[in-house]
Amino acid sequence: MILFPFTLRSKPRTIGVTMVMDKGLGLNRFQDLLEIAASYIDFIKLGFGTLLLTPEKVVREKLRLCQNHQIHLYPGGTLFEYAYIQNQVEAYFQMLKNLGFAWVEISDGVISLSLSQRKQMIQTARQYELNVITEIGKKNAGSHIHLHTLQNLYVWDRDSGAEYVILEARETGLNIGIYDEKGNIMDPYRKFIQSAELKHLIWEAPLKTQQVELIQLIGQNVNIGNIAPDDILSVEALRLGLRADTLIMGG
């Protein structure tokens, strides 16, 4: 019950999207999550290779529930990399189509892809009628991408057919991507974030301090990813100025 004028953000959204990490939620908890927070979730990523470890009937039910709530469910990029190493990329794309997925993530956090290979993988996925999210960055600690490389890869992937591009931060958000050892956004990236026009970039931000600063730098329509299921309402409250950290912005 709303006791005063207040406007929630409506779906479907193309900016201000929130991506949640599912590392193995059972159906009951998954349903509970959607019951209370579906309006604030745009993407749910099945973390790393958990898709292959989840019973097919559970996967199909999660897909059905997500479709009912305008949420895009997709497997993490590590599974793509596993398929790539096994020389089974097209078989992987076909498997996703057979299961009912409409989105796939393409990354090279462990493997290495040249620009031409990135483009080929994106376009091959599109041939299987899969929407593509790519990921930029390596998974090893201390891996920080050069701003010029970040911007060029973003443009390259978008021009190659990717709908969104994710910037790697893993589940910890520490000493990787744009974050230092304590999880703070490093100064060169902070200036870049304020000036860049990257409406289809999803910033992985698993920590509250990161979420707050990205919202302060970009605004409530920043794209944020790798959010824990229990933190969805918290993140949406930050976006809307319903927490002390962003109260002045929301007002």
Side-chain angles (χ1 to χ4, degrees), residues 177-192:
I178 62 174
Y179 307 115
D180 64 18
E181 293 87 349
K182 295 182 178 180
N184 300 314
I185 299 175
M186 294 183 286
D187 285 337
Y189 297 99
R190 187 179 294 108
K191 296 175 183 177
F192 174 77

Side-chain angles (χ1 to χ4, degrees), residues 201-221:
L201 183 69
I202 299 175
W203 307 86
E204 289 191 344
L207 304 181
K208 177 194 167 187
T209 54
Q210 298 165 354
Q211 299 153 13
V212 170
E213 189 164 11
L214 285 168
I215 291 169
Q216 290 173 338
L217 290 170
I218 298 176
Q220 73 168 208
N221 283 327

Side-chain angles (χ1 to χ4, degrees), residues 91-144:
Y92 171 58
F93 292 159
Q94 186 62 59
M95 179 192 78
L96 295 185
K97 286 296 295 181
N98 292 343
L99 285 170
F101 284 95
W103 290 77
V104 65
E105 181 180 316
I106 292 174
S107 67
D108 62 351
V110 177
I111 64 174
S112 294
L113 296 176
S114 66
L115 288 178
S116 61
Q117 288 170 326
R118 287 180 77 92
K119 184 174 184 177
Q120 180 185 3
M121 293 298 100
I122 294 168
Q123 294 183 341
T124 300
R126 298 292 295 166
Q127 290 171 4
Y128 281 84
E129 300 181 332
L130 292 166
N131 298 296
V132 177
I133 300 177
T134 59
E135 186 172 70
I136 296 173
K138 297 299 182 181
K139 294 189 177 297
N140 53 301
S143 175
H144 303 290

